[in-house]
Amino acid sequence: MNSNPIRSKENFLIFGAPAIEDTEIQEVVATMKTGWLGTGPKVMRFENEFKAYKGAPYAVAVNSCTAALHLSILAAGLKPGDEVITTPMTFCATVNAIVHAGATPVLADVDPVTMNIDPEKVEAKITSKTKAILPVHFAGRPCDMDALCDIASRHNLKLIEDCAHAIETEYKGRKAGTFGDFGCFSFYVTKNITTGEGGMILTRSQEDASRLKTLALHGMSKDAWKRFGDDGYKHYQVVEVGFKYNMMDLQAAIGIHQMERVAPYWHRREEIWQRYNEAFANLPVTLPAAPEPDTIHGYHLYTMLIDEAKTGISRDTFLNAMNHENIGLGVHYMSIPEHPFYQEKFGWQPEDYPNATSIGRQTVSLPLSAKLTDADVEDVIAAVKKCLVMGKAKNPVLAAAG
Ligand SMILES: *Cc1c(COP(=O)(O)O)cnc(C)c1O
């Protein structure tokens, strides 16, 4: 392997590094000084700003998207034995949330081009036990919501959107997370905006919002959220067995300022995306499909498929070679049926989900954070070209590209 890496070790480009600016640092410090660290006025402000941005009637902040998904499935009224259809091309949390809620996950394979759940495959998996569909807007690309909403309404299913990649995403003028009964968002460090750890649930009914709040805080009645206020002691009542999923003001302090940068960060990621497209146009790799007409892509992940037969090197060799160049990549994702737990518990096998399996074995995600400088982006491009040249001897297309 070439001994002179594109970047030095000290300058390793970390995949998914968040852009954090001075205003949120100051807000966190100010929050510390008020002494109000837990759930309070800043969480309420963050919820209000998020729902205003989305044009949604209700927003409930929680401490992760995993928690958001778990509570949404419970609030949807699912019972043990009920089936939830989701995608094999997702993070394990999507499936785990279904399991934690006591329901049974069922996978429907993805479309090989969009990498999103294929509505026809969903339809084929519907049984008398199916109670919900849980699509993921993969990489920020909206799912085929016309088809999914139609299936949900014809079969009387709940629709829960995993919007962990999809804050900015729109489909035919409507924002991701507002199609379904519940829309779940993540503010994990690597996501489009961050609160360190954090999540948000959008919902359409006051009843659902209030149930979510109760479930997120020990099952205590809604007024418990206000019990530390200055208008006298209030006894709380536990009305069901809940969880400890509330967001802290310390997290919301970061979120309210990250909110202001949803648009500029998205623009920056779009710019990087276009630059990658242009730089890699002639390489023997599969680049992300162009966004569908009348949609807005959230540009959360820039995924490239490395097919060894085409490039001359395997995906894993490429990952290691990029690491040697001191550039961190991601893999989103090895498909869900590749993991032993799900194979043992549900009998899932990779070959039953050929599109997700093939994507999962070939995909790499390049750095796509708003934090990247132009020089960082050029380093990524130079490293990708250099690493792919390793396959050159075996590959006439690369040899010709020089
Ligand atoms: C990150 C992610 C989650 C989980 O989000 P957390 O906030 O880390 O719990 C769920 N689904 C998808 C698709 C994700 O990428």
Side-chain angles (χ1 to χ4, degrees):
M1 212 173 281
N2 196 316
S3 55
N4 270 334
I6 298 279
R7 288 171 79 95
S8 67
K9 220 170 188 67
E10 305 73 59
N11 208 11
F12 190 96
L13 192 67
I14 295 166
F15 179 85
I20 301 290
E21 297 183 28
D22 204 46
T23 30
E24 45 267 44
I25 295 172
Q26 295 310 321
E27 189 81 39
V28 168
V29 172
T31 307
M32 300 280 295
K33 287 184 175 159
T34 67
W36 193 287
L37 310 184
T39 306
K42 284 183 185 162
V43 169
M44 197 183 288
R45 184 175 147 198
F46 187 36
E47 288 173 337
N48 286 335
E49 287 175 8
F50 197 81
K51 77 182 184 199
Y53 167 75
K54 282 287 184 178
Y58 301 97
V60 177
V62 287
N63 59 11
S64 72
C65 181
T66 309
L69 291 164
H70 182 191
L71 296 188
S72 295
I73 299 162
L74 292 174
L78 269 69
K79 303 274 176 321
D82 288 349
E83 293 177 355
V84 180
I85 300 177
T86 193
T87 169
M89 184 42 57
T90 187
F91 186 53
C92 59
T94 313
V95 177
N96 291 350
I98 299 170
V99 178
H100 283 310
T104 303
V106 172
L107 301 180
D109 203 1
V110 296
D111 177 280
V113 174
T114 65
M115 305 186 186
N116 275 326
I117 197 165
D118 179 343
E120 279 181 23
K121 303 267 169 53
V122 172
E123 190 101 46
K125 290 292 181 99
I126 290 175
T127 70
S128 58
K129 292 181 185 162
T130 309
K131 291 289 149 53
I133 315 177
L134 205 173
V136 176
H137 303 292
F138 180 79
R141 179 189 303 275
C143 292
D144 182 348
M145 295 315 290
D146 279 348
L148 293 175
C149 290
D150 176 58
I151 294 171
S153 83
R154 275 190 289 112
H155 296 273
N156 198 21
L157 309 176
K158 296 283 185 178
L159 184 59
I160 301 165
E161 299 171 68
D162 182 334
C163 302
H165 302 175
I167 289 174
E168 308 82 354
T169 301
E170 291 187 19
Y171 176 87
K172 300 189 178 175
R174 248 172 101 179
K175 290 191 155 74
T178 66
F179 288 85
D181 300 278
F182 303 93
C184 302
F185 294 82
S186 176
F187 310 116
Y188 178 64
V189 192
T190 58
K191 300 294 158 74
N192 294 353
I193 64 166
T194 186
T195 60
E197 298 280 2
M200 190 77 76
I201 314 167
L202 296 182
T203 185
R204 293 195 281 230
S205 85
Q206 204 206 318
E207 199 186 334
D208 285 337
S210 140
R211 176 96 197 280
L212 289 168
K213 287 218 156 193
T214 299
L215 283 169
L217 196 66
H218 307 295
M220 299 193 307
S221 57
K222 214 175 120 208
D223 288 343
W225 290 75
K226 300 182 207 142
R227 79 185 192 279
F228 301 114
D230 52 11
D231 48 350
Y233 188 86
K234 288 200 186 65
H235 291 288
Y236 60 85
Q237 290 188 306
V238 176
V239 294
E240 64 179 314
V241 180
F243 302 86
K244 186 65 169 65
Y245 282 168
N246 54 305
M247 178 183 275
M248 302 167 74
D249 266 23
L250 269 182
Q251 295 164 299
I254 308 171
I256 54 185
H257 294 290
Q258 290 267 307
M259 258 334 273
E260 298 159 9
R261 286 184 233 111
V262 169
Y265 286 176
W266 177 86
H267 278 292
R268 177 60 181 152
R269 293 195 310 276
E270 186 191 35
E271 201 170 76
I272 299 169
W273 174 288
Q274 303 299 1
R275 177 74 192 104
Y276 285 159
N277 272 351
E278 172 191 291
F280 304 141
N282 296 318
L283 296 178
V285 291
T286 305
L287 302 182
E292 287 72 36
D294 207 6
T295 67
I296 292 178
H297 196 300
Y299 300 119
H300 175 59
L301 298 171
Y302 188 93
T303 61
M304 249 174 30
L305 301 181
I306 311 275
D307 176 356
E308 187 168 4
K310 252 167 64 177
T311 62
I313 62 169
S314 71
R315 188 269 308 273
D316 289 357
T317 306
F318 178 76
L319 281 173
N320 288 329
M322 287 292 283
N323 199 67
H324 178 79
E325 301 304 328
N326 293 315
I327 292 184
L329 301 184
V331 171
H332 302 88
Y333 302 93
M334 288 299 289
S335 78
I336 292 289
E338 300 271 14
H339 298 284
F341 173 80
Y342 307 114
Q343 294 175 359
E344 282 155 31
K345 174 94 180 167
F346 302 112
W348 295 340
Q349 289 306 324
E351 54 273 25
D352 296 333
Y353 308 91
N355 295 337
T357 298
S358 142
I359 293 164
R361 291 177 183 175
Q362 297 184 358
T363 193
V364 293
S365 303
L366 301 186
L368 187 67
S369 157
K371 197 184 179 200
L372 299 180
T373 63
D374 287 347
D376 293 335
V377 173
E378 295 311 313
D379 283 351
V380 174
I381 291 169
V384 166
K385 289 184 171 168
K386 181 175 164 187
C387 292
L388 286 176
V389 165
M390 289 169 57
K392 198 161 135 178
K394 291 188 227 158
N395 190 306
V397 180
L398 269 174

